[in-house]
Amino acid sequence: MATALSIKRAGFWRPSFEIMDGQHSYGELSHKGTWKPKVIIETAQKRWVVSGMGWRNAKISTDEEGEVAWISKDFWRGKTSFSAHDGFTAKLVRPSIWKNTITWVLPDGTEVIRLAGRTFKSPVISFNPQAPENPWLLLLAFLLLEMHEMQKRHAAAAAT
């Protein structure tokens, strides 16, 4: 996997997003449903369904294994954490309020993935090459993208 990935957006009303490097596509993020929307993340190996992404707790499931992980948000502190059934955990951190970046950080403080938003351009996802290899990295990259897009939607709604 490359250390920096770009994002390609397709569609206007219900856009889908594809994470890719210059040559390969790593998967697609799309939305399904109107009243109870779900985030669908499809890669070559797996298909994840995230239910309840905008609320406090969201569960992540696959077709083969059922529920495999969940995302929990602390409403009062604004902290978001990812927990998998195999014991892997990560926290979402916004290093600075002045920069448009969000990162996943391991419990020992190692930054794993960073999404840097750019004005009038699509954001860039970068992986830390010193971080340990993990099967959850691609899912975390897609979740980071969804949270970035959710922040943009909330900001646009607040501006009206």
Side-chain angles (χ1 to χ4, degrees):
M1 184 179 282
T3 57
L5 302 175
S6 61
I7 296 158
K8 179 182 172 187
R9 178 184 170 137
F12 184 74
W13 295 109
R14 303 256 349 214
S16 63
F17 300 93
E18 186 177 1
I19 294 181
M20 56 193 334
D21 59 8
Q23 298 174 349
H24 301 67
S25 172
Y26 291 100
E28 184 179 39
L29 181 142
S30 60
H31 298 87
K32 181 181 176 185
T34 303
W35 301 109
K36 292 184 179 180
K38 295 181 181 184
V39 177
I40 310 294
I41 300 168
E42 294 180 277
T43 64
Q45 293 82 18
K46 286 194 178 186
R47 180 177 184 259
W48 290 288
V49 177
V50 183
S51 303
M53 188 67 183
W55 301 97
R56 268 187 43 174
N57 295 322
K59 71 175 187 169
I60 302 169
S61 58
T62 63
D63 296 334
E64 305 86 29
E65 304 169 30
E67 187 175 324
V68 293
W70 61 93
I71 300 170
S72 59
K73 296 179 184 179
D74 186 359
F75 181 76
W76 298 108
R77 290 190 227 153
K79 305 276 183 186
T80 302
S81 60
F82 173 84
S83 301
H85 285 302
D86 63 0
F88 177 77
T89 61
K91 290 192 180 198
L92 189 71
V93 175
R94 186 172 190 139
S96 170
I97 61 169
W98 305 111
K99 295 181 181 177
N100 191 9
T101 60
I102 49 178
T103 63
W104 283 112
V105 177
L106 297 178
D108 64 354
T110 305
E111 180 182 302
V112 181
I113 302 172
R114 173 182 294 243
L115 183 136
R118 303 180 301 171
T119 307
F120 303 115
K121 294 182 180 180
S122 63
V124 173
I125 296 175
S126 57
F127 293 91
N128 183 359
Q130 285 84 27
E133 279 295 316
N134 197 307
W136 298 103
L137 289 181
L138 193 55
L139 176 63
L140 289 176
F142 278 108
L143 292 174
L144 205 60
L145 172 61
E146 174 61 23
M147 289 180 193
H148 175 73
E149 290 297 317
M150 196 177 342
Q151 286 177 353
K152 284 175 34 179
R153 288 190 300 265
H154 290 183
T160 59

